[in-house]
Amino acid sequence: MADAVEQAKPFRRAALAPAREPDELDRRIINALQGDFPLSPEPYAEAAARLGISEAELLARLQSLLDDRILTRFGPMFQIERLGGAFCLAAMAVPEAEFERVAEQVNALPQVAHNYAREHAFNMWFVLATETPEGIDAAVQAIEAATGYPVYPFPKEKEYFVEMKLQA
Amino acid sequence: MDDTFPMDDLDRRIVLATQAGLPLVPRPYLALAEQLGVTEAEVRQRLARLLAAGAIRRIGAVPNHYAIGYTANGMSVWQIDPTVIDAVGARVGGLQSVTHCYRRPDHPPAWPYNLFAMVHGKSRAEVEAEVGRVATLIQAEFPGALGARDILFSTRILKKTGLRLGE
């Protein structure tokens, strides 16, 4: 079991790593398309015209950016709280020897939207996303039961600013 | 919690149909409409309404930070005097280098920090230098408000699927 986990680790890392470096056109597309995507009937043609390329070229590039994992998604970013659901950051302090097992158990829950290893005594940080606020407590309890370690929830008490746009 | 958007069955089906991404075809809203059995105009109107209501933050490209050179992702955490934390949070959250800024509960003694600010950079040194500048700014503008601070660098993405509503 431990061997299987060890062997699976580099594969999972590779699966998330980008397959190539973005070129100049990729960067222009990423910078131009981080918001304000048109809601017109032919939005890609409109966006392509702004970039000075053809619609077919934009569609092919977006597919390639997704295939090569330079983009994780192309589409709407939902604000689940406005839809009645809930997000919650949570952390665990997991002994190194148990880290891979616990990561597998945490990641197995569909409510875990993302999970990061970080350098700290609290070394595993994940975001729970559930359709109802009550779902957060249930997910926390499920993770504690599955892993045997306490989960520290860090619910957002106040959001000061969110601007997730990065220059490529 | 803030007012929630009253999502009806069609809104919900649009969320489910687009949460993995928008179709990469010349008329994506028509493709969705055909899949959902409604008109293209209806899909476009619903998306516009979800955007206006803040239920969709934006429609567009979601980059892999690592692929575009932001390899250092530092979660800076701060122990701030609760009586001034909202003023400090508003100041820190408005900084160009900070992409997310939240007040969260502390869990003393293991976790004394109540303000979280995510700082992305192209190197660890760049993030450390920026967090140092933020600390100087807090100390200058809010004397005595800052206690302990730390930066938690990510070493590995263990999972990244984003939000998924159930079917």
Side-chain angles (χ1 to χ4, degrees):
Chain A
M1 181 61 195
D3 282 352
V5 169
E6 269 317 298
Q7 281 163 13
K9 192 166 76 177
F11 171 75
R12 270 188 280 111
R13 291 179 76 168
L16 291 164
R20 65 178 167 85
E21 285 282 309
D23 68 13
E24 190 266 337
L25 178 58
D26 294 329
R27 289 179 188 276
R28 285 208 297 130
I29 289 172
I30 293 167
N31 288 340
L33 294 189
Q34 286 192 51
D36 299 323
F37 190 68
L39 287 173
S40 57
E42 299 184 4
Y44 295 105
E46 204 179 305
R50 281 192 238 141
L51 286 157
I53 59 176
S54 72
E55 178 189 57
E57 193 171 8
L58 177 59
L59 286 168
R61 274 302 174 118
L62 286 172
Q63 188 62 60
S64 149
L65 287 166
L66 290 166
D67 290 344
D68 291 337
R69 296 177 295 276
I70 294 171
L71 295 183
T72 58
R73 276 176 75 246
F74 185 85
M77 292 186 70
F78 295 99
Q79 162 55 291
I80 197 172
E81 285 141 325
R82 294 284 291 148
L83 295 172
F87 265 126
C88 187
L89 178 70
M92 297 173 79
V94 184
E96 276 308 317
E98 295 269 63
F99 195 86
E100 296 301 326
R101 167 184 72 85
V102 172
E104 299 243 344
Q105 289 170 327
V106 170
N107 292 351
L109 259 79
Q111 295 93 326
V112 175
H114 23 90
N115 187 4
Y116 286 83
R118 293 188 182 275
E119 286 176 355
H120 192 272
F122 287 91
N123 53 0
M124 191 180 294
W125 290 79
F126 46 90
V127 172
L128 299 169
T130 59
E131 283 192 60
T132 63
E134 297 73 37
I136 297 291
D137 285 344
V140 164
Q141 283 164 23
I143 291 170
E144 290 184 332
T147 63
Y149 288 102
V151 172
Y152 292 80
F154 291 96
K156 172 174 81 182
E157 292 178 335
K158 187 153 185 174
E159 174 173 330
Y160 296 106
F161 192 73
V162 171
E163 181 65 14
M164 204 55 236
K165 292 182 184 177
L166 298 172
Q167 281 293 114
Chain B
M1 184 171 292
D2 298 337
D3 311 304
T4 56
F5 180 83
M7 192 166 50
D8 71 10
D9 179 60
L10 179 57
D11 293 316
R12 187 183 163 81
R13 289 194 297 132
I14 288 174
V15 172
L16 289 173
T18 57
Q19 62 187 351
L22 203 62
L24 288 175
V25 297
R27 298 188 70 169
Y29 308 122
L30 180 62
L32 286 168
E34 286 170 349
Q35 184 188 335
L36 298 169
V38 298
T39 66
E40 181 185 32
E42 203 161 3
V43 169
R44 291 165 49 213
Q45 284 159 9
R46 290 298 183 117
L47 288 171
R49 202 171 69 177
L50 288 162
L51 273 163
I56 296 177
R57 281 188 192 276
R58 59 187 176 87
I59 299 176
V62 185
N64 176 340
H65 301 162
Y66 290 79
I68 59 174
Y70 290 85
T71 49
N73 151 6
M75 185 170 76
S76 70
V77 293
W78 310 78
Q79 180 184 21
I80 304 290
D81 176 350
T83 61
V84 293
I85 190 169
D86 287 344
V88 175
R91 183 74 171 93
V92 172
L95 297 173
Q96 184 65 40
S97 58
V98 173
T99 55
H100 303 65
C101 187
Y102 300 107
R103 188 178 83 207
R104 301 185 186 279
D106 53 14
H107 293 277
W111 188 262
Y113 312 107
N114 52 3
L115 186 73
F116 287 55
M118 192 64 76
V119 177
H120 290 273
K122 301 200 174 185
S123 71
R124 185 175 283 232
E126 186 184 310
V127 172
E128 282 168 349
E130 182 55 31
V131 171
R133 281 191 289 275
V134 175
T136 304
L137 180 149
I138 295 173
Q139 283 158 341
E141 297 185 15
F142 304 93
L146 174 60
R149 67 178 171 99
D150 201 352
I151 309 173
L152 279 68
F153 284 99
S154 65
T155 51
R156 242 188 326 146
I157 302 177
L158 303 168
K159 182 177 185 182
K160 185 165 180 162
T161 49
L163 153 70
R164 288 287 186 274
L165 293 187
E167 297 293 334

